[in-house]
């Protein structure tokens, strides 16, 4: 049992800051090892650990964002979050019905291909703007 917790923590730590779905990898891990635990609960706990580490590491930027609630970064975060909220509201029942290990693996492959294509066509030294925040949010919603 302890090994499973360690494995979930490792997967979360390795995938959270990559442009992939760490939650999807934890679900995949549960399917591969036939984990008979509440994998969603374990995923939430793993994400809380990630959140705590981000708060500690980014405390100065977080404090700035709290002191300046209408700064550009906060607006970009809002723009990036909206596609996920809209996606959940519109497509949750469809995604829940489609969920299977095959759908998850296909999603990972499609995400990987999109990441490779995006890396090939991206412009160098581009400033981060609202258009980028929105496209990131859309891709996160798809993931």
């Amino acid at each position: 049992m302890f090994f499973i917790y360690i494995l979930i923590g490792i997967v979360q730590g390795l995938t959270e800051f990559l442009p992939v779905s760490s939650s999807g990898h934890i679900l995949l891990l549960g399917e591969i090892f036939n984990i008979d635990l509440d994998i969603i609960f374990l995923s939430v706990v793993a994400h809380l650990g990630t959140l705590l580490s981000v708060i500690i590491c980014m405390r100065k930027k977080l404090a700035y964002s709290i002191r300046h609630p209408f700064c550009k970064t906060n607006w970009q975060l809002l723009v990036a979050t909206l596609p996920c909220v809209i996606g959940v509201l519109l497509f949750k029942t469809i995604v829940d019905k489609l969920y299977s290990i095959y759908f998850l693996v296909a999603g990972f492959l499609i995400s990987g291909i999109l990441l490779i294509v995006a890396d090939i066509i991206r412009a160098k030294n581009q400033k981060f703007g609202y258009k980028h925040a929105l496209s990131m949010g859309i891709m996160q919603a798809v993931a």
Side-chain angles (χ1 to χ4, degrees):
M1 183 71 84
F2 185 70
F3 169 74
I4 292 171
Y5 296 142
I6 296 295
L7 193 58
I8 289 171
I10 290 170
V11 167
Q12 174 68 16
L14 291 174
T15 59
E16 181 59 32
F17 297 105
L18 297 175
V20 297
S21 173
S22 60
S23 300
H25 282 84
I26 291 175
L27 290 172
L28 181 62
L29 185 71
E31 290 287 331
I32 290 172
F33 289 104
N34 197 21
I35 297 173
D36 192 27
L37 302 168
D38 185 356
I39 201 72
I40 300 297
F41 174 75
L42 292 175
S43 180
V44 168
V45 171
H47 279 84
L48 287 173
T50 300
L51 177 62
L52 180 62
S53 69
V54 168
I55 289 171
I56 291 169
C57 291
M58 304 294 287
R59 63 187 175 274
K60 290 180 182 177
K61 289 184 178 182
L62 183 60
Y64 177 85
S65 289
I66 290 170
R67 284 192 309 268
H68 302 91
F70 300 107
C71 69
K72 183 178 180 182
T73 300
N74 288 349
W75 285 110
Q76 289 173 334
L77 285 170
L78 179 67
V79 167
T81 303
L82 288 176
C84 285
V85 172
I86 293 167
V88 166
L89 293 174
L90 293 177
F91 302 111
K92 183 182 181 332
T93 55
I94 295 170
V95 172
D96 286 346
K97 288 178 185 176
L98 288 175
Y99 175 75
S100 72
I101 192 71
Y102 304 110
F103 183 71
L104 195 59
V105 170
F108 287 157
L109 288 173
I110 292 168
S111 295
I113 291 167
L114 288 173
L115 287 170
I116 291 168
V117 169
D119 189 51
I120 291 170
I121 64 174
R122 74 180 164 95
K124 301 289 183 196
N125 300 321
Q126 218 176 31
K127 289 189 176 187
F128 189 83
Y130 290 102
K131 183 170 54 172
H132 299 98
L134 181 61
S135 64
M136 285 175 58
I138 291 169
M139 288 300 111
Q140 184 63 34
V142 170

